[in-house]
Amino acid sequence: MRTQAVIIGAGPAGLLLGHILHRAGIGFTILEARSREYVLGRIRAGVLEQSSVDVLAELGLDADLREHGLTHHGIHLQFEGARHHLDFVELVGRTVSIYGQQALVRHLLAEHERLGSDIRFEVSDVTPTGLEGSDPTVSFTDGGATTTIAGDVVVGADGFHGVCRPAIPGIRAFERSFPFGWLGILADVPPSTDDLIYALHPDGFAMHSMRSPEVSRLYVQVRHDESIDDWSDARIWDALQTRLGVDGWTLQEGEVLEKSITPMRSFVASTMSHGRLFLVGDAGHIVPPTGAKGLNSAIADVVLLGRAIIAGLQHGDESGLSGYSAAALARQWKVQQFSEWMTDLLHVHDAPDASAREFAYRSQVGRLEYVTGSRAARQSLAEQYAGLPFTTE
């Protein structure tokens, strides 16, 4: 078998790249280790930057987003019992959209099925080889039969635990783990807020988000080693009421549909390419969720790589492919610093004693007072939260 691009992974990055290549008339095959049902059932981030929304619109893939997505004009920062609104439209002329990754994957996959795209689910033993040459191959087992497919490029969109990053000789990982996580719930209750609320409280961070006009998504900071079994629904709601509470506002409670604890960590690979293999999304980097950058970073990678593949395969211009890793990492490190800054700003940190803990907390309050009181600081936050451009600069 032969195609032009072999994409390993049918998450949002792999599926979106397939649409970009299809639009340019470039052939591709997508290989996915999990079942179709598993892929559709994965629940992930739900905030899209303005640039991500623009990309979906340009590709004609925004019909479901326009029908079910929620446009937000900013966020609330809350501390010391007071809530401060940052209006992104007024500050930088941009918005963000609440649209679950699960819904995006469902729509992208439905469009692929309408197009008749070659997507193979539940394949195993996926092995990319010959990556240093001009004719790389990927072997895999599908329905008990071993198949080898050749292509001009191989794309690793297979996540942190995939096979593509380990296939790069000498690759290194730059990592930071945080000593806390997010306990998140999905609740059957309409949101109690118009825009997302990020709250710093002496007990820890809390956040009020949403999935739809009928369903709320909420988070509280917990220790990274805590068990979900120790958090009853009543305890979760009590923590949310305490950390999100302000005078004159009511947090509505409802049935908890699901709950889980998400660890907080940062990870960046030392390179995003090797020969004819190119990494996108979680295969190359992971951010803590505070800055809402995970899905958007994957989309940025895919846009950059898609342009490079089109230029290379259709016009013989390989400069985009050879420069992809440097360009993708340059943008990613900007994203990483913003995500780390937001995480450090809004979470209560361990300290050796009560005095040091109080000092750290008061310092965070000072930073938040500066951010909310300075137009320049608000603009900087809004510019980064609403999304840096998808460019090579």
Side-chain angles (χ1 to χ4, degrees):
M1 293 181 60
R2 181 171 183 84
T3 189
Q4 291 175 284
V6 184
I7 302 170
I8 302 174
L15 294 173
L16 181 60
L17 180 60
H19 280 293
I20 292 173
L21 298 183
H22 169 80
R23 192 182 191 203
I26 292 176
F28 63 90
T29 294
I30 299 177
L31 305 176
E32 170 58 49
R34 301 285 190 169
S35 68
R36 182 181 184 278
E37 292 71 26
Y38 181 91
V39 169
L40 289 173
R42 286 186 291 209
I43 298 176
R44 295 290 189 271
V47 178
L48 289 179
E49 300 171 358
Q50 180 73 62
S51 295
S52 297
V53 172
D54 293 344
V55 165
L56 294 173
E58 180 185 345
L59 294 170
L61 296 169
D62 63 336
D64 190 69
L65 169 61
R66 284 186 281 108
E67 182 176 355
H68 298 107
L70 305 174
T71 300
H72 284 238
H73 290 193
I75 61 172
H76 298 280
L77 291 179
Q78 180 179 317
F79 56 97
E80 297 294 273
R83 192 171 294 165
H84 307 261
H85 187 249
L86 276 66
D87 188 328
F88 294 168
V89 175
E90 188 271 330
L91 290 167
V92 295
R94 295 165 72 77
T95 63
V96 295
S97 295
I98 306 299
Y99 184 64
Q101 179 172 316
Q102 188 179 16
L104 175 61
V105 168
R106 186 183 303 112
H107 184 66
L108 294 178
L109 186 55
E111 286 299 296
H112 272 300
E113 291 172 346
R114 183 181 64 82
L115 295 171
S117 301
D118 184 11
I119 302 178
R120 317 286 184 91
F121 290 100
E122 297 184 85
V123 301
S124 59
D125 305 317
V126 178
T127 307
T129 56
L131 301 173
E132 295 84 358
S134 60
D135 198 32
T137 62
V138 178
S139 62
F140 59 97
T141 301
D142 184 11
T146 299
T147 302
T148 299
I149 183 169
D152 297 297
V153 296
V154 177
V155 178
D158 52 346
F160 180 79
H161 298 288
V163 301
C164 290
R165 189 177 67 258
I168 298 178
I171 194 169
R172 293 177 295 151
F174 306 108
E175 300 180 82
R176 177 187 175 185
S177 295
F178 296 86
F180 44 76
W182 278 10
L183 190 161
I185 65 169
L186 202 63
D188 186 17
V189 61
S192 303
T193 181
D194 51 353
D195 285 334
L196 279 66
I197 303 170
Y198 288 80
L200 172 69
H201 186 275
D203 291 350
F205 168 81
M207 180 180 180
H208 189 332
S209 182
M210 62 282 294
R211 281 294 177 265
S212 73
E214 298 79 29
V215 178
S216 297
R217 186 74 161 150
L218 304 108
Y219 301 91
V220 292
Q221 176 186 347
V222 298
R223 296 192 318 272
H224 74 285
D225 58 352
E226 288 202 47
S227 170
I228 194 68
D229 295 333
D230 295 332
W231 284 82
S232 65
D233 293 357
R235 183 185 178 191
I236 294 170
W237 283 115
D238 182 64
L240 288 166
Q241 293 285 1
T242 298
R243 300 183 194 185
L244 291 172
V246 294
D247 290 342
W249 178 81
T250 301
L251 173 62
Q252 300 294 334
E253 300 184 13
E255 178 188 359
V256 175
L257 304 175
E258 60 180 55
K259 56 184 176 181
S260 61
I261 294 178
T262 301
M264 306 282 282
R265 64 192 177 108
S266 300
F267 156 80
V268 184
S270 59
T271 183
M272 299 281 286
S273 67
H274 173 69
R276 305 303 287 182
L277 171 65
F278 304 90
L279 305 179
V280 294
D282 286 359
H285 44 72
I286 291 173
V287 292
T290 323
K293 295 298 166 213
L295 175 57
N296 295 290
S297 292
I299 293 175
D301 288 347
V302 164
V303 170
L304 187 62
L305 182 59
R307 293 170 182 166
I309 292 174
I310 293 167
L313 300 192
Q314 293 192 335
H315 308 293
D317 180 2
E318 294 271 320
S319 60
L321 290 173
S322 61
Y324 166 72
S325 178
L329 286 175
R331 186 183 193 281
Q332 178 56 207
W333 279 115
K334 295 175 186 176
V335 168
Q336 287 286 343
Q337 70 79 26
F338 176 70
S339 300
E340 183 180 50
W341 178 79
M342 286 280 286
T343 302
D344 287 338
L345 178 68
L346 291 162
H347 292 76
V348 171
H349 301 274
D350 290 335
D353 54 53
S355 177
R357 180 184 174 95
E358 183 69 11
F359 183 94
Y361 178 79
R362 289 298 159 191
S363 179
Q364 289 172 271
V365 170
R367 279 179 275 166
L368 282 163
E369 287 178 340
Y370 171 70
V371 169
T372 55
S374 164
R375 180 175 177 83
R378 294 196 305 273
Q379 282 183 314
S380 176
L381 190 155
E383 178 185 44
Q384 295 178 88
Y385 195 101
L388 300 174
F390 289 177
T391 66
T392 57
E393 287 81 15

